[in-house]
Amino acid sequence: MSSEVTQAAPTLVMLHGLLGNRHDWAEVIAGLTGINCLALDLPGHGQNYHVQVGSFEAFHEWLSNTLIAHDVHRYCLLGYSLGGRLALYHASRQPLGLEALWLESAHPGLPVNERAARIAHDARWAARFEREPLEGVLNDWYQQPVFADLTEFQQARQVQRRLNNVGPAVAKMLRATSLGKQPSQWQWLETTSLLVSYFSGLRDAKFHNLACRLASAAPRLRHITLSGGHNLHAEQPEAISQQLSAWYGLLE
C-alpha cells in the first residue's frame, strides 16, 4: 500500500475481550503492513484498569472521546467477544467516521426473556473476581463451555497471561457490560448499510451457529469461517490479518 493511501485510509481500531488487553492484537497487527492500527485497553483493563464505565452508552461516549483524543476521524472497528459487543453497540449509534465493523465471536444480544438469568450469572462471576484470589477464579473461568476447544496446556497458559488483571476492576466492567444488559442488535444488523463482517471458528459451535443464523437474517453481513475456536485472533492471527489486508487493499 502506498504511503499516500496509508495516510488517507481509515484507522483500524481494535477492542479486546474480557480479561485481555491491547497487546492481544500484536500478532494480527504484525501482519498488517501499511495499515494504521490503534489497539485500545478497554475500561477496567490494562493501563485503563482505573477507568470505569457504567453502561454500554457510557462506553460509547468513552470510545468516542478516546478517538477524538487520538485524532482519529475515519476508522474501522474490530472487536473480539466483549470488545465485539461493545463495538457493535458503538456502531449502532451511527458515529461519524465509522466505515466498517469487524466482529469476532461476538453476541448480537439475547432475547428479553433470557436477560435476567444472564445478568445473575455475570453477577456471580463479578462477585468472585471482586473477592477471591484471581488465579483460582481464572482457573474456573477457563473451564466454561465456550473455552472447551482449549487444551489443558492452553487453559493454563491463558490463566498465566491474565494474572495481571485487577479483579475488582474486571468485576465492575463485567457487571456494567453483561450480555444481559446489552440491547439487542439483531434488527440493526439486518438493516444497516455499514459494511459488517463476522469471524467465527468451526470449533466454536455456539458462536459459529449464531453467526450462521445472523448471516441468514442479515444477507449483507459477510460471514468469514475459520477452522479455529472462540479466540481466533490468538489461534490464527495470519488469517485475520489476511482478511483485513484484503479489504484495505480495495482502498488502493
Side-chain angles (χ1 to χ4, degrees):
M1 185 179 292
S2 68
S3 59
E4 291 79 6
V5 172
T6 302
Q7 292 168 5
T11 298
L12 178 59
V13 180
M14 312 167 95
L15 305 177
H16 60 80
L18 190 75
L19 298 168
N21 59 54
R22 68 187 187 280
H23 301 298
D24 291 355
W25 297 108
E27 291 185 76
V28 174
I29 292 172
L32 296 175
T33 304
I35 297 174
N36 185 34
C37 297
L38 176 62
L40 298 174
D41 285 327
L42 293 180
H45 294 75
Q47 292 184 336
N48 288 327
Y49 72 91
H50 60 286
V51 177
Q52 296 181 27
V53 294
S55 65
F56 282 84
E57 181 64 19
F59 173 82
H60 162 66
E61 293 174 3
W62 175 85
L63 178 57
S64 298
N65 291 334
T66 299
L67 294 178
I68 291 171
H70 284 274
D71 199 30
V72 172
H73 303 287
R74 295 179 59 215
Y75 62 106
C76 302
L77 265 180
L78 167 61
Y80 161 67
S81 195
L82 170 60
R85 296 195 289 112
L86 292 166
L88 178 54
Y89 180 84
H90 176 77
S92 76
R93 303 288 278 112
Q94 298 181 305
L96 292 176
L98 179 61
E99 300 188 13
L101 174 66
W102 297 76
L103 303 173
E104 177 191 344
S105 308
H107 205 300
L110 293 172
V112 173
N113 64 347
E114 296 180 16
R115 294 180 187 175
R118 181 54 185 253
I119 290 171
H121 171 273
D122 289 343
R124 288 191 293 271
W125 277 110
R128 293 194 63 189
F129 277 115
E130 208 164 43
R131 302 169 187 166
E132 298 179 23
L134 188 56
E135 185 168 6
V137 183
L138 289 172
N139 279 320
D140 290 343
W141 178 265
Y142 286 107
Q143 296 298 318
Q144 294 183 94
V146 73
F147 302 115
D149 67 293
L150 297 179
T151 66
E152 187 174 336
F153 171 77
Q154 289 171 328
Q155 289 174 350
R157 185 176 61 181
Q158 280 294 86
V159 169
Q160 292 303 309
R161 291 181 63 207
R162 301 317 189 195
L163 283 174
N164 60 351
N165 278 283
V166 178
V170 170
K172 289 183 175 68
M173 190 61 172
L174 180 54
R175 287 193 182 97
T177 59
S178 166
L179 178 57
K181 296 181 180 179
Q182 177 180 321
S184 175
Q185 301 298 340
W186 285 85
Q187 185 174 5
W188 180 82
L189 285 165
E190 291 171 13
T191 58
T192 184
S193 60
L194 184 71
L195 173 68
V196 181
S197 303
Y198 193 112
F199 292 106
S200 73
L202 285 173
R203 296 205 318 273
D204 182 8
K206 175 181 176 179
F207 280 86
H208 179 66
N209 291 337
L210 185 151
C212 290
R213 284 174 50 209
L214 189 57
S216 177
R220 289 175 58 87
L221 179 140
R222 191 164 63 112
H223 179 198
I224 302 163
T225 301
L226 300 178
S227 59
H230 189 68
N231 193 336
L232 293 167
H233 65 275
E235 297 178 51
Q236 300 186 40
E238 299 89 353
I240 302 286
S241 298
Q242 288 169 6
Q243 289 287 336
L244 294 165
S245 295
W247 186 80
Y248 269 85
L250 297 176
L251 301 177
E252 294 189 23

